[in-house]
DNA sequence: TTCGTCATGTAATGGGTTACATGATTAC
DNA sequence: GTAATCATGTAACCCATTACATGACGAA
């Protein structure tokens, strides 16, 4: 119960894991750094934060720097800063490792991928492979549907489907490359299976070996 | 007012324009033939149909074969067949030609494209070009955001953004090809600017000249 | 006769947006 | 001092889904 917003909740926990923040900043990071995949409004963010606090995963810190003007640069004059609790951290790890049936959908996957820098290698592999097989299912359905309906569709509809399939195929190739790169990486990544006692595991710097952005 | 479901409404009108159907079949066509971009459930379809009827865009035909058991094969026992009214047809034309600010978003565009076979050439061009410039805006934002945040992001996040941008760039190229093909096509397409009195204008068969699916 | 599919709906819920209301702080 | 932006929230709504309820029809 109180199943507040899968993706938003996940993204908030993930961002707060890196460092405490207040709502406003959180929303900006959601929509810029991580925002490639989705934009959220205050109308969803603030209620979500409340339930996360109620759940014990976050604590509000009203940041009473009332008498410490020592570092005025850190924040203008701290509003409500949210910090991840130990329980929240654990919960986030669970969400990361969780392999529900919807975990491989577009937005869920993108959100998980965005936090790969904080994810252990075995989980990364599971996510990438899960996503890939999800896409392959999708491809098969598309192919089947296409074979069934064939000639009944006009050329534009056909072209639309062709382009859609090509996009999916392209993502599969992308995943293949990522998976291979992961495989080629150091195999010693084991920061505690199930318990991330090591907190951050960037032993390889989280490098997907991007091949020439330009 | 009564601004029921943009895309669903549009798709329903578009499908019914081709031929009358009952809800169940409509939903299947929505999720197979046209369903590449989105799946709808009865929970949204039936209420939508009702409002469209209330609006005067559809009429329910209970298919009164009440006393003619002559052809029990035609329909098992006629359900509720929805047929587009003249007003509905007009409304659909308006929706097709309408260039609202959200008309170029992913799903809106896909839905419009799916009905290109029933769309006049000038509208097709407007839609394709609108979509393209929308994507170009998006690209600029992404580039700006990327330039701003640069080194602050880990490699996975960067890779995600890079892949996202590549996808958008790819779609832009696709649009460029489509636009060129349209331009190269016969230029005489003028079934009445603003008024589609000609109903169907497939003079060129609606051919986007797909270049080798394999 | 029972099972699968066709066929139509409704109520509760979900997960989000928009528009609104409010006020502090900074830049000019 | 006034405008922009930072900052936090709420209420009303939107569009859709899920799960449920119902029933006819055809095939095994």
């Amino acid at each position: 119960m109180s199943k507040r917003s899968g993706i938003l909740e996940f993204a908030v926990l993930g961002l707060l894991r890196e460092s405490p923040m207040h709502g406003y900043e959180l929303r900006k990071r959601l929509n810029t750094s991580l925002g490639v995949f989705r934009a959220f409004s205050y109308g969803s963010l603030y209620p979500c934060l409340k339930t996360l606090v109620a759940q014990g995963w976050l604590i509000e810190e009203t940041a009473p720097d009332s008498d410490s003007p020592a570092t005025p640069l850190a924040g203008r004059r701290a509003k409500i800063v949210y910090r991840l609790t130990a329980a929240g951290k654990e919960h986030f790890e669970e969400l990361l490792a969780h392999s529900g049936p919807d975990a491989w959908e577009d937005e869920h996957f993108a959100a998980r991928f965005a936090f790969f820098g904080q994810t252990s290698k075995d989980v990364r592999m599971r996510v990438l492979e899960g996503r890939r097989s999800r896409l392959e299912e999708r491809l098969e359905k598309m192919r089947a549907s296409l074979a069934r309906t064939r000639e009944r569709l006009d050329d534009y509809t056909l072209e639309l489907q062709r382009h859609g399939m090509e996009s999916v195929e392209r993502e599969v190739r992308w995943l293949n490359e990522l998976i291979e790169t992961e495989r080629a990486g150091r195999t010693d990544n084991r920061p505690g299976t199930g318990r991330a006692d090591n907190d951050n595991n960037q032993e390889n710097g989280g490098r997907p070996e991007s091949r020439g952005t330009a």
Side-chain angles (χ1 to χ4, degrees), chain A:
Chain A
M1 55 280 309
S2 148
K3 193 65 175 299
R4 282 276 165 214
S5 76
I7 291 176
L8 180 52
E9 165 185 315
F10 179 78
V12 165
L13 293 175
L15 281 177
L16 288 180
R17 191 192 159 146
E18 292 168 8
S19 77
M21 264 177 270
H22 55 256
Y24 192 85
E25 193 184 348
L26 209 37
R27 195 238 181 185
K28 282 207 325 197
R29 303 259 337 242
L30 236 39
N31 298 337
T32 58
S33 315
L34 289 171
V36 184
F37 54 89
R38 177 133 200 183
F40 291 97
S41 60
Y42 299 123
S44 26
L45 176 59
Y46 284 116
C48 174
L49 284 170
K50 273 192 184 170
T51 73
L52 293 182
V53 168
Q55 226 82 33
W57 295 328
L58 305 183
I59 41 168
E60 289 183 3
E61 289 181 343
T62 329
D65 68 344
S66 43
D67 54 336
S68 70
T71 54
L73 55 108
R76 53 227 302 95
R77 188 181 127 250
K79 310 289 172 177
I80 304 177
V81 174
Y82 294 90
R83 178 186 301 277
L84 204 58
T85 64
K89 219 167 194 172
E90 252 180 70
H91 182 59
F92 181 66
E93 303 298 337
E94 278 167 33
L95 290 178
L96 268 180
H98 172 62
S99 313
D102 50 321
W104 319 123
E105 295 308 315
D106 298 352
E107 295 189 321
H108 279 283
F109 168 72
R112 287 164 105 96
F113 191 95
F115 293 111
F116 262 24
Q118 312 176 36
T119 308
S120 70
K121 180 167 179 171
D122 49 340
V123 170
R124 289 199 303 260
M125 286 295 282
R126 280 219 308 280
V127 171
L128 291 174
E129 282 165 352
R131 173 66 175 172
R132 183 176 54 180
S133 63
R134 179 71 193 75
L135 289 183
E136 267 155 4
E137 279 173 36
R138 207 183 285 182
L139 271 180
E140 264 199 73
K141 268 187 204 152
M142 290 168 104
R143 277 194 256 267
S145 152
L146 203 57
R148 256 190 288 102
T149 54
R150 248 321 151 203
E151 298 298 335
R152 290 185 35 230
L153 304 172
D154 68 294
D155 294 321
Y156 283 110
T157 310
L158 237 40
E159 174 63 16
L160 184 59
Q161 301 209 351
R162 196 195 57 72
H163 181 250
M165 278 188 45
E166 239 180 61
S167 297
V168 178
E169 282 162 354
R170 195 176 146 273
E171 187 176 341
V172 169
R173 287 196 296 275
W174 181 64
L175 288 170
N176 283 337
E177 285 173 39
L178 289 174
I179 288 168
E180 246 179 90
T181 305
E182 291 283 354
R183 283 228 176 83
R186 288 161 48 191
T187 348
D188 55 19
N189 200 331
R190 182 107 354 183
T193 314
R195 283 261 306 138
D197 49 18
N198 199 7
D199 195 303
N200 268 12
N201 39 291
Q202 339 249 62
E203 339 73 33
N204 77 346
R207 182 186 326 109
E209 218 77 81
S210 43
R211 54 262 180 262
T213 302

